[in-house]
Every structure is written in structure tokens, then in C-alpha cells.
């Protein structure tokens, strides 16, 4: 009787054109208190309510599913997870175009990053489709800073300095500045600080608070050399299993919530800078000399990147520089 009841419910769902409930596990590398995770929880809740429980997104923070950031796009492509949130620039091993989301010195600050993200969006849609997934929304990290055990006031202070970089472009950037960067995913950052593998970190104010960096370092210099984009994508097989109605509902929600999530990022930056200072971190802006040296290094990296990045990347940078006057 039970089997006939379940079968009857399934047939009824199919005959009425509605989909059976979908449970989507959604991994995050960041701890539960991180604003990206909080945004994800809000999105999951809204999706569940709007689809009347037909799509149930289960958020897994703190790397609980064992998925590292650079593996995420491939994992969604292969259906290892149906949906995920991850840093776009960390996927540059799979797709060089992803580097644009954190190109050093290109988009500096939230307004420029919004302009860059809008120009990138159609190209990102095509890229993700080629990786068997659909882009739902983007959210930037606060500007990238440098955390160190000492003040960073000139390039001489960075000479040979062992610090963590999050992606290949960041490694190239800090090598150009004379530092000794190590490419590390977030899960390895705090252990590497504790063991002395690295002495500093390039990351956002959010990650500085998440990692309680004041326990390891005393200075944070606001380089703001990029606001890297995080993305939420869904596997196309999982997506196509949904009804057209639920697809439209989720797309509309993503478009509606994305600007709010960007505002959360801005507010997060302000709150975290205050938290860092309250815990004894010396937070300082760039001086003019160092800013000029960073800009010169960034120009070199853009030119080298475009030699092999493809026409889409060149088109994006050209359109962006024209719009913002760089």
C-alpha cells in the first residue's frame, strides 16, 4: 500500500507538471558567521518559501563537505554538489577569464567592482554554461588588504615577505612587488600562520575577523587592490529538473537579493574594520608612494594577462577602462 501511495504521488506530480521536492546541499568554505554564508542562508530560506518547499537548499558552512575553493566549479559541473558558493578568481586554473574578478589594481572599491561585474556578467553566463552550470548571483568581498607582523609603508617592507595569496593573479602581483607569496586556500591559512609557514596574509577584512588575525599579526594595510567576486552557481542537470515556474522564481529571487547582498558586504567591511581595531590591529591606509608603486605593477600584470587571456577578457578590460576612465 505504501509503495502504491508513493508511486501515485509521483505520478500525480508528473501529470500536473510539478517537480518532486529537490534537496540541494550547498557548501561554503567560510564559517557560519561569515557574511557570504549568512547571505546564502537568507537565499535558501527565501527559495524554500517561494517554491513552497519544492526546492530545499541545505547550507553547509566551514568546509563541512570537504570541498576546497579551487575545486568548486568543477564539483558543480560534475554534479558532486548541486549548488555551491565560491570565489570566482580561484577557478582560474579551469578558466583564465576568472582572474578578472580579482585583477590587481583594475576595479578598486565597490562602485568600480559593480561596473566590472556588470560588464563581465554575459561572459560569465557563457563560461558557466560551458561548465554545466548556471550563475545565480555574485557578491564581492571587501577590498583586499595585507596583514603583517610589521608596518608595510614601502616596497622594501614587502621584500621577501612570506604571505598568503588566494589565486594565481595575486601570486603574480605580490611577486612583482617583491614579496614571497604562497598560494593557499582559506582552510590552510590559519594553520600556516600558526606553524610559521607564512608571516602575513592578503585577504579581506571579513577573513581577518574570521581568522582572528590579531592573534598572529599586528598590522593591516588597506591595499584595496581588488574586491574579488564570490559566485553562487547551480548544476544544469539539477536546474533543468525543476519546473519552469520554480526556475523563474529562483532567478527572480537571485536578481532581487543580489543588490542587498552587495550592501551587506559594504556594511560587513565597515563593521570588521572596527572589530580589527578593537582587538588591537593597527589598520592603516596606503600612502601615496606605495599606491603609485602598486599601480605601476598592476599595469604590467594586465598587459601580460591579456597576451593569453582571450578576446573576452580583452573586451571586458577595454570596456571597463573606458567606462571608469582608467
Amino acid at each position: 500500500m505504501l509503495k502504491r501511495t508513493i508511486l501515485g504521488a509521483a505520478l500525480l506530480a508528473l501529470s500536473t507538471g510539478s517537480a518532486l521536492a529537490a534537496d540541494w546541499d550547498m557548501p561554503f568554505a567560510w564559517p557560519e558567521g561569515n557574511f557570504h554564508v549568512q547571505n546564502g542562508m537568507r537565499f535558501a530560506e527565501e527559495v524554500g518559501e517561494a517554491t513552497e518547499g519544492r526546492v530545499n537548499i541545505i547550507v553547509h558552512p566551514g568546509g563541512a563537505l570537504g570541498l576546497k575553493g579551487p575545486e568548486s566549479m568543477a564539483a558543480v559541473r560534475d554534479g558532486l554538489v548541486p549548488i555551491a558558493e565560491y570565489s570566482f578568481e580561484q577557478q582560474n586554473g579551469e578558466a583564465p577569464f576568472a582572474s578578472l574578478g580579482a585583477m590587481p589594481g583594475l576595479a578598486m572599491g565597490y562602485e568600480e567592482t559593480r561596473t566590472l561585474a556588470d560588464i563581465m556578467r554575459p561572459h560569465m553566463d557563457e563560461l558557466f554554461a560551458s561548465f554545466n552550470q548556471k550563475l545565480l548571483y555574485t557578491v564581492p568581498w571587501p577590498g583586499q588588504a595585507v596583514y603583517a607582523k610589521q608596518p608595510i609603508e614601502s616596497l622594501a617592507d614587502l621584500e621577501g615577505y612570506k604571505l598568503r595569496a588566494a589565486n594565481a593573479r595575486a601570486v603574480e602581483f605580490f611577486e612583482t612587488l617583491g614579496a614571497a607569496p604562497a598560494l593557499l586556500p582559506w582552510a590552510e591559512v590559519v594553520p600556516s600562520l600558526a606553524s610559521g609557514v607564512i608571516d602575513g596574509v592578503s585577504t579581506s577584512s571579513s577573513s581577518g575577523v574570521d581568522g582572528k588575525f590579531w592573534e598572529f599579526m599586528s598590522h593591516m594595510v588597506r591595499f584595496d587592490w581588488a574586491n574579488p567576486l564570490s559566485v553562487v552557481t547551480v548544476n544544469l542537470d539539477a536546474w533543468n529538473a525543476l519546473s519552469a515556474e520554480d526556475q523563474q522564481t529562483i532567478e527572480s529571487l537571485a536578481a532581487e537579493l543580489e543588490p542587498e547582498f552587495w550592501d551587506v558586504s559594504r556594511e560587513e567591511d565597515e563593521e570588521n574594520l572596527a572589530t580589527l581595531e578593537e582587538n588591537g590591529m593597527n589598520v592603516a591606509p596606503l600612502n601615496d608612494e606605495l599606491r603609485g608603486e602598486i599601480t605601476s605593477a598592476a599595469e604590467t600584470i594586465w598587459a601580460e594577462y591579456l597576451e593569453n587571456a582571450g578576446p573576452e577578457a580583452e573586451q571586458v578590460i577595454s570596456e571597463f577602462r573606458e567606462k571608469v576612465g582608467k
Side-chain angles (χ1 to χ4, degrees), residues 229-252:
L229 296 174
S230 270
V231 298
V232 169
T233 67
V234 57
N235 174 273
L236 281 179
D237 298 319
W239 179 256
N240 291 332
L242 303 181
S243 68
E245 177 186 1
D246 285 343
Q247 289 178 348
Q248 180 59 49
T249 295
I250 294 171
E251 279 190 282
S252 297

Side-chain angles (χ1 to χ4, degrees), residues 135 255 260 278:
L135 174 61
E260 295 184 33
E278 288 168 5

Side-chain angles (χ1 to χ4, degrees), residues 1-321:
M1 177 65 71
L2 180 59
K3 289 182 179 178
R4 286 199 298 273
T5 301
I6 295 173
L7 178 59
L11 290 173
L12 177 61
L14 291 172
S15 67
T16 57
S18 63
L20 295 173
D23 288 336
W24 288 355
D25 291 306
M26 184 180 186
F28 287 77
W30 333 115
E32 184 173 345
N34 181 273
F35 78 96
H36 283 300
V37 179
Q38 294 298 309
N39 284 344
M41 288 179 171
R42 165 95 184 276
F43 180 66
E45 181 179 357
E46 297 270 1
V47 166
E49 291 179 1
T51 63
E52 298 179 339
R54 290 185 298 276
V55 181
N56 178 35
I57 300 175
I58 306 111
V59 170
H60 298 273
L65 298 187
L67 188 65
K68 293 184 179 180
E71 304 167 343
S72 298
M73 187 165 70
V76 176
R77 176 196 62 199
D78 298 338
L80 298 180
V81 290
I83 187 171
E85 188 275 355
Y86 51 92
S87 293
F88 185 45
E89 85 278 0
Q90 289 187 352
Q91 316 311 309
N92 53 18
E94 296 278 359
F97 183 85
S99 290
L100 281 177
M103 186 60 62
L106 184 61
M108 299 179 72
Y110 283 98
E111 296 306 317
E112 289 190 0
T113 301
R114 178 74 268 180
T115 299
L116 179 63
D118 289 343
I119 295 170
M120 289 174 63
R121 183 63 187 247
H123 302 286
M124 292 172 73
D125 287 337
E126 292 181 8
L127 172 65
F128 284 120
S130 73
F131 277 79
N132 191 39
Q133 56 205 281
K134 177 180 178 62
L135 174 61
L136 294 179
Y137 65 80
T138 68
V139 183
W141 286 93
Q144 295 293 285
V146 171
Y147 296 83
K149 296 180 178 180
Q150 62 199 44
I152 304 295
E153 298 175 344
S154 69
L155 288 188
D157 296 323
L158 278 175
E159 186 66 34
Y161 200 72
K162 297 184 297 181
L163 80 166
R164 175 260 189 172
N167 56 73
R169 290 276 79 80
V171 169
E172 183 181 6
F173 177 54
F174 283 104
E175 285 178 343
T176 301
L177 297 181
L183 182 60
L184 294 174
W186 173 251
E188 297 178 19
V189 172
V190 172
S192 296
L193 282 169
S195 64
V197 171
I198 55 174
D199 296 317
V201 180
S202 175
T203 190
S204 67
S205 60
S206 300
S207 294
V209 172
D210 288 343
K212 297 182 179 180
F213 283 175
W214 52 83
E215 295 180 355
F216 306 97
M217 297 165 288
S218 56
H219 293 268
M220 183 255 220
V221 183
R222 299 195 63 189
F223 274 51
D224 284 344
W225 55 268
N227 288 69
L229 296 174
S230 270
V231 298
V232 169
T233 67
V234 57
N235 174 273
L236 281 179
D237 298 319
W239 179 256
N240 291 332
L242 303 181
S243 68
E245 177 186 1
D246 285 343
Q247 289 178 348
Q248 180 59 49
T249 295
I250 294 171
E251 279 190 282
S252 297
L253 272 174
E256 176 186 336
L257 290 172
E258 181 173 305
E260 295 184 33
F261 291 164
W262 279 61
D263 287 340
V264 170
S265 178
R266 289 186 182 92
E267 294 164 5
E268 172 83 4
D269 191 28
E270 295 173 2
E271 293 173 2
N272 282 327
L273 288 172
T275 298
L276 289 166
E277 290 184 321
E278 288 168 5
N279 283 278
M281 186 75 71
N282 185 321
V283 177
L286 278 179
N287 60 49
D288 291 341
E289 178 186 354
L290 190 51
R291 182 178 295 276
E293 291 171 326
I294 287 173
T295 300
S296 297
E299 289 273 3
T300 301
I301 292 171
W302 301 349
E304 292 176 353
Y305 167 73
L306 287 177
E307 289 180 2
N308 301 302
E312 294 86 359
E314 186 170 2
Q315 179 183 339
V316 167
I317 289 183
S318 176
E319 185 176 346
F320 171 78
R321 298 188 74 175

